[in-house]
Each structure stands twice: as structure tokens, then as C-alpha cells.
Amino acid sequence: MTREYPPFPVPSAAALVCHQGSLLLIRRKFEPGAGKWSLPGGKIELGETAEETAAREVMEECNVRVKVTRLLNAANAIFYDHEHRVRFHYLIIVYLAAYLSGTPENSEETLEVRWVPLEEAGNYDLTGTARSAIEAFIAGGY
């Protein structure tokens, strides 16, 4: 399935990883949201659960191993072109994940990967999905 101008929403999963008071964030290399800070995540592959996708994407994008612990929220990320056609549409299932091991490193899909103190995350140019997940995380008292 094509990600750009898809015939229907693309099912995706992401992980909010909080470790020692900091969140694992990536700076996106590609559209949608190139240059913005986000949670590691991506498209669910055929035969893969959403939880497996979230953990795989953290490893691929950040070189960090995690254990998915629970569902946090879900979000639609819809982006329109200048003719108001749907250019991208993702349904993103966001999970909380516990850090297991690894040192954050850039990948082919990221401009930057870093641990960001939770109290500073709101100062970053976040994607809508990342912002709503962080707000849900804070509101839930995790």
C-alpha cells in the first residue's frame, strides 16, 4: 500500500518510551512532518501485531530495545495537499513502552534521536500525534 495518497488509512503504531524522567523522541527525516519531533513508530506490517510494530520501530529508528506495556491512545494523522486531497492518513495506535537496553542512535529515517526531559518536551516542535500522546501520558499520571 502506498503511504502517499493512500486508498484508505494506513494502520500504524508508535511507542512512548519514558526512562528516568525523559522521553525518547526522534526528529523526522521524511514527510509527513519532516523536521518535527515525534515518537518512534511506523506502518504495521502484514502478520505483525501493533505491539510488535511499536517495539520494532523503536529498535529500527533509535537502536533501543523496549517492552510494550500498555495502550496509551490512538490518533488520526491526516494531511492534505494544496488541492485538499488526502496526501497522508495514518491511524496511529500509541503504546507505552519500557526501556530495556541500547543507546539512542540515528537511523536512515531520523535526523536526530534523543532523550528529552518530560518537562521540556512541550518546548519542542512536536507532531500532533506526539503532543497528544505526551498530554495523555501526563494526564494519566504515568
Side-chain angles (χ1 to χ4, degrees), residues 3-113:
R3 292 176 189 208
E4 195 167 8
Y5 299 103
F8 46 85
V10 177
S12 306
L16 188 146
V17 184
C18 189
H19 179 63
Q20 297 180 341
S22 293
L23 302 177
L24 184 62
L25 296 180
I26 64 162
R27 199 160 139 244
R28 297 181 55 81
K29 189 174 188 176
F30 303 110
E31 293 294 346
K36 289 186 175 278
W37 289 89
S38 189
L39 304 176
K43 184 172 81 83
I44 299 171
E45 301 292 339
L46 186 64
E48 183 178 58
T49 67
E51 295 90 344
E52 290 168 340
T53 298
R56 174 181 55 78
E57 289 287 343
V58 174
M59 177 56 80
E60 287 179 3
E61 294 181 354
C62 305
N63 191 45
V64 169
R65 208 165 65 89
V66 299
K67 177 182 179 182
V68 171
T69 57
R70 63 176 291 172
L71 178 66
L72 178 62
N73 73 353
N76 281 285
I78 305 171
F79 301 87
Y80 298 92
D81 66 14
H82 65 282
E83 296 175 3
H84 204 67
R85 294 178 300 161
V86 174
R87 183 174 174 200
F88 298 100
H89 184 170
Y90 297 94
L91 171 59
I92 305 169
I93 303 167
V94 182
Y95 292 93
L96 292 178
Y99 169 84
L100 295 176
S101 64
T103 301
E105 295 178 8
N106 268 357
S107 72
E108 295 176 357
E109 300 177 46
T110 61
L111 294 171
E112 193 173 349
V113 177

